[in-house]
Amino acid sequence: MTDARSLVVKPWVKRYPVDGGPATLVFPHAGGAALAYRSLGTALAKAGSDAYVMQYPQRGDRLSHPAPASVGDLARDLFDAGDWAALGPVRLFGHCMGAVVAFEFARVAEREGVEIDALWVSASEAPSTVAAAPDLPMAQNEIIAEMVDLGGTDPRLLDDDDFVELLLMAVRADYSAFNRYACDADATIAADIHTLGGDRDHRVSEDMLRRWETHTTGAFTLSMFDGGHFFVNDHTAEVAELVNDV
């Protein structure tokens, strides 16, 4: 296993290294920046994972990078950001849209001979169900309403015009790619899939999480936590320990 300090990755990949620990790659939700997952990255490192949080284009230090045309293109872009094979078996963690991006990352990785140990799915619909769902909104007022409904964004920030402008850029880039996404029902990865959800999440139900089982030829588990769509923010240490223990 490669020493985390010697692994070459793109500078926009945020690292929380633990030398000798298993690698966990984190994929943010739609519109989410890597900085929003600093607490999870830190918790994963504390639990023993060598954590890497991905940064998508059109935000943070990738503000000038063009928006991906598709989720597949985004997954490939993130795969090309580092020599992940050097880390040994890799774990993936994705929240909401990030779980679908992580799934497509796993498909690329497995085709390229990179071993994916497990995919952790947090608050996400299954890939094969995305195309049948209503398109995500692109108008400003609808996006803001979506952010309020989902939670996870400090409402005070939505009164800041500069913040809203940057948020809209990131969200539209992700939503546009996600609205074009389609996945066959029989598309699978060899990696185990472990799903996590909030018992009060009004957007992603336990039944929706269970549909991920069809996308793995390995093991499948489901764990529910107290909370809503962003339950992870209230259970960061517990989630990190769970990811590191399995």
Side-chain angles (χ1 to χ4, degrees):
M1 185 175 291
T2 295
D3 186 323
R5 292 170 297 184
S6 65
L7 180 71
V8 176
V9 296
K10 295 290 187 182
W12 39 260
V13 176
K14 310 307 175 187
R15 304 172 62 177
Y16 303 85
V18 173
D19 295 327
T24 301
L25 279 53
V26 178
F27 298 77
H29 60 280
L35 184 62
Y37 287 78
R38 178 173 57 187
S39 294
L40 180 59
T42 301
L44 284 166
K46 185 176 181 179
S49 282
D50 178 19
Y52 299 78
V53 181
M54 299 299 186
Q55 183 84 292
Y56 304 159
Q58 298 282 283
R59 75 214 67 195
D61 43 3
R62 301 196 70 189
L63 192 63
S64 63
H65 293 195
S70 67
V71 172
D73 287 343
L74 175 57
R76 184 76 218 193
D77 171 68
L78 300 174
F79 180 80
D80 290 340
D83 180 16
W84 308 115
L87 293 175
V90 175
R91 298 167 177 170
L92 311 178
F93 179 97
H95 183 75
C96 199
M97 188 195 87
V100 177
V101 177
F103 175 75
E104 290 300 327
F105 182 101
R107 295 177 75 186
V108 173
E110 290 184 352
R111 288 196 299 269
E112 297 288 342
V114 176
E115 185 179 355
I116 303 299
D117 182 54
L119 166 61
W120 289 85
V121 169
S122 173
S124 174
E125 60 193 309
S128 57
T129 66
V130 172
D135 279 353
L136 296 170
M138 298 298 286
Q140 176 172 333
N141 62 328
E142 293 176 336
I143 290 175
I144 298 301
E146 180 94 346
M147 296 300 101
V148 172
D149 182 62
L150 288 171
T153 303
D154 188 335
R156 293 171 296 182
L157 292 175
L158 298 178
D159 293 327
D160 184 324
D161 291 341
D162 292 335
F163 174 82
V164 169
E165 182 179 358
L166 294 173
L167 176 66
L168 290 172
M169 183 182 300
V171 171
R172 283 177 175 143
D174 295 345
Y175 278 11
S176 180
F178 201 65
N179 284 340
R180 300 187 187 102
Y181 182 73
C183 177
D184 292 336
D186 59 357
T188 60
I189 57 175
D192 298 341
I193 293 181
H194 304 288
T195 56
L196 309 172
D199 59 7
R200 297 194 305 277
D201 186 348
H202 64 294
R203 301 295 288 269
V204 179
S205 66
E206 183 175 334
D207 181 62
M208 293 169 72
L209 290 168
R210 290 189 184 279
R211 295 181 186 179
W212 276 91
E213 186 171 6
T214 65
H215 289 295
T216 177
T217 58
F220 173 82
T221 67
L222 169 66
S223 301
M224 299 300 292
F225 288 81
D226 175 46
H229 191 67
F230 282 92
F231 70 93
V232 175
N233 294 342
D234 298 320
H235 300 280
T236 306
E238 294 169 68
V239 170
E241 289 173 5
L242 188 60
V243 170
N244 199 56
D245 288 343
V246 174

